[in-house]
């Protein structure tokens, strides 16, 4: 399970991210004011904000592996102990909310690249796929739908927890796990026997539970990141076209900006070709 801790959960390697970040740097160094600057610069600043937020939320998912791998139970605090059963529920709550946050960040990124200017609270799957600017992009719509339906097990669990207050059953013997966890948090180490007279192995049961969650989580986020990478590929030509159009309508083309784009595209193609040759 520890091998997943160093997973690369971001889209910082995508061409869209590289170009937007490169264009953002000179604006950042010159402390450009968002409210008073030109539309082409606003476009870059807003796209950078959404990409940066998305990447940060993706990176925040990696701590889930450390939370699932934690074994120092019970957790001691000045206000009392936290049992391993409570810790698993805390981990699940955090996991489900962060995955939801990633999806929302993707929707907001699409909104920013297409310059839809929807109110953030109204940016969702339905408002995006029904927007006239996006309707012609069938592949993008398909990917937006895929992100919404990503990780069916965790998505259903999220809906059950956040909308109905229903939690997943932990392990094959949830009552024993709950009681043994509570006993452990009160300082006991002998948890008695199970329904068939077997000695209760709390560590083993806990490992079994977290392994299941880890597997579901990994499958879900691997699929999710794949969808997001594909969306970034589709968004890049849209960003480039709109950025250049914004420049043309507001003082003309800046060759320095075009040079940054050309350089990023060159290296993206170079490393792609190098990777393909090595396979």
């Amino acid at each position: 399970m520890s091998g997943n801790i160093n997973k690369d959960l971001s889209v910082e390697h995508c061409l869209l991210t590289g170009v937007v970040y490169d264009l953002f740097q000179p604006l950042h160094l010159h402390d450009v004011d968002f409210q008073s600057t030109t539309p082409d610069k606003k476009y870059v600043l807003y796209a950078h904000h959404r990409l940066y937020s998305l990447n940060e939320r993706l990176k925040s998912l990696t701590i889930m592996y450390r939370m699932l791998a934690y074994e120092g139970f019970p957790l001691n605090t000045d206000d009392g102990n936290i049992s391993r059963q409570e810790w698993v529920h805390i981990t699940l709550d955090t996991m489900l909310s962060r995955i939801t946050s990633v999806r929302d960040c993707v929707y907001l990124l699409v909104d920013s690249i297409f310059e839809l200017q929807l109110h953030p609270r109204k940016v969702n799957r339905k408002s995006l796929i029904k927007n006239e600017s996006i309707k012609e992009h069938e592949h993008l719509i398909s990917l937006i739908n895929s992100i919404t339906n990503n990780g069916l097990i965790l998505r259903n669990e999220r809906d059950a927890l956040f909308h109905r207050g229903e939690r997943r059953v932990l392990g094959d013997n949830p009552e024993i796990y709950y009681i043994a966890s509570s006993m452990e948090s009160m300082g006991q180490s002998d948890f008695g026997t199970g329904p068939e007279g077997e000695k209760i192995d709390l560590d083993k049961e806990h490992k079994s539970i977290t392994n299941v969650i880890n597997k579901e989580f990994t499958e879900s986020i691997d699929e999710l990141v794949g969808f997001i990478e594909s969306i970034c590929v589709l968004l890049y030509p849209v960003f480039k076209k709109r950025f250049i159009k914004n420049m043309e309508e507001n003082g003309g083309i800046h060759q320095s900006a075009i040079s940054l784009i050309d350089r990023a595209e060159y290296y993206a193609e170079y490393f792609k070709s190098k990777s393909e040759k090595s396979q």
Side-chain angles (χ1 to χ4, degrees):
M1 185 159 60
S2 60
N4 289 316
I5 292 176
N6 297 317
K7 286 173 72 71
D8 179 21
L9 297 180
S10 77
V11 288
E12 290 182 341
H13 55 282
C14 293
L15 179 57
L16 174 66
T17 307
V19 169
V20 171
Y21 279 29
D22 283 352
L23 292 171
F24 168 78
Q25 285 304 316
L27 303 181
H28 175 66
L29 291 173
H30 289 87
D31 198 23
V32 173
D33 179 64
F34 181 81
Q35 297 300 327
S36 60
T37 194
T38 56
D40 56 315
K41 293 184 177 70
K42 281 185 178 181
Y43 186 50
V44 171
L45 291 170
Y46 193 41
H48 176 270
H49 170 63
R50 291 306 180 195
L51 271 169
Y52 179 80
S53 298
L54 172 60
N55 275 309
E56 289 301 299
R57 296 316 296 159
L58 282 168
K59 291 175 184 177
S60 77
L61 294 175
T62 59
I63 198 172
M64 295 297 98
Y65 290 114
R66 291 193 287 274
M67 294 178 73
L68 288 170
Y70 185 78
E71 296 178 346
F73 298 106
L75 283 81
N76 299 312
T77 77
D78 291 339
D79 292 324
N81 294 338
I82 298 174
S83 73
R84 64 176 73 216
Q85 188 243 22
E86 292 169 329
W87 179 252
V88 170
H89 282 315
I90 291 168
T91 302
L92 281 169
D93 291 354
T94 306
M95 180 187 301
L96 296 171
S97 64
R98 290 192 177 189
I99 290 175
T100 300
S101 175
V102 168
R103 291 194 186 99
D104 290 342
C105 285
V106 174
Y107 299 152
L108 289 166
L109 174 63
V110 174
D111 169 80
S112 70
I113 298 300
F114 278 90
E115 299 180 279
L116 303 181
Q117 298 183 331
L118 299 173
H119 189 283
R121 290 194 175 187
K122 294 185 178 181
V123 178
N124 52 46
R125 183 195 70 85
K126 187 175 181 179
S127 65
L128 291 178
I129 65 176
K130 289 192 173 184
N131 191 280
E132 291 299 324
S133 298
I134 294 179
K135 277 185 177 180
E136 63 187 67
H137 299 269
E138 294 182 1
H139 190 190
L140 177 60
I141 290 175
S142 176
L143 286 167
I144 291 172
N145 286 330
S146 294
I147 279 184
T148 304
N149 297 320
N150 163 254
L152 185 61
I153 293 175
L154 293 181
R155 182 170 64 87
N156 289 340
E157 181 171 359
R158 176 202 64 197
D159 293 342
L161 176 62
F162 294 155
H163 299 304
R164 301 192 297 276
E166 299 170 359
R167 290 195 176 279
R168 76 157 62 193
V169 174
L170 298 179
D172 296 328
N173 297 291
E175 291 185 1
I176 290 178
Y177 180 66
Y178 165 71
I179 293 171
S181 295
S182 299
M183 293 171 65
E184 180 186 49
S185 70
M186 292 184 286
Q188 298 186 43
S189 57
D190 184 354
F191 313 117
T193 56
E196 298 180 6
E198 75 282 8
K199 186 174 177 62
I200 296 174
D201 188 337
L202 185 56
D203 287 333
K204 182 179 179 181
E205 181 66 14
H206 178 79
K207 182 73 70 175
S208 175
I209 290 168
T210 55
N211 281 345
V212 169
I213 297 171
N214 184 290
K215 182 176 182 294
E216 294 171 358
F217 176 63
T218 300
E219 290 174 351
S220 178
I221 61 172
D222 284 351
E223 183 182 54
L224 180 61
V225 172
F227 289 145
I228 296 172
E229 288 174 342
S230 296
I231 284 177
C232 286
V233 170
L234 296 179
L235 290 180
Y236 175 67
V238 178
F239 170 82
K240 181 180 178 181
K241 180 180 178 180
R242 287 177 173 269
F243 173 63
I244 292 175
K245 181 181 178 182
N246 276 323
M247 282 197 296
E248 290 173 337
E249 294 176 350
N250 293 277
I253 300 292
H254 300 289
Q255 191 55 47
S256 58
I258 298 300
S259 296
L260 288 173
I261 293 173
D262 289 344
R263 184 184 67 178
E265 289 179 346
Y266 169 80
Y267 279 111
E269 188 60 34
Y270 170 78
F271 286 116
K272 178 183 177 183
S273 176
K274 189 175 181 180
S275 175
E276 289 174 349
K277 288 179 181 179
S278 65
Q279 292 178 358

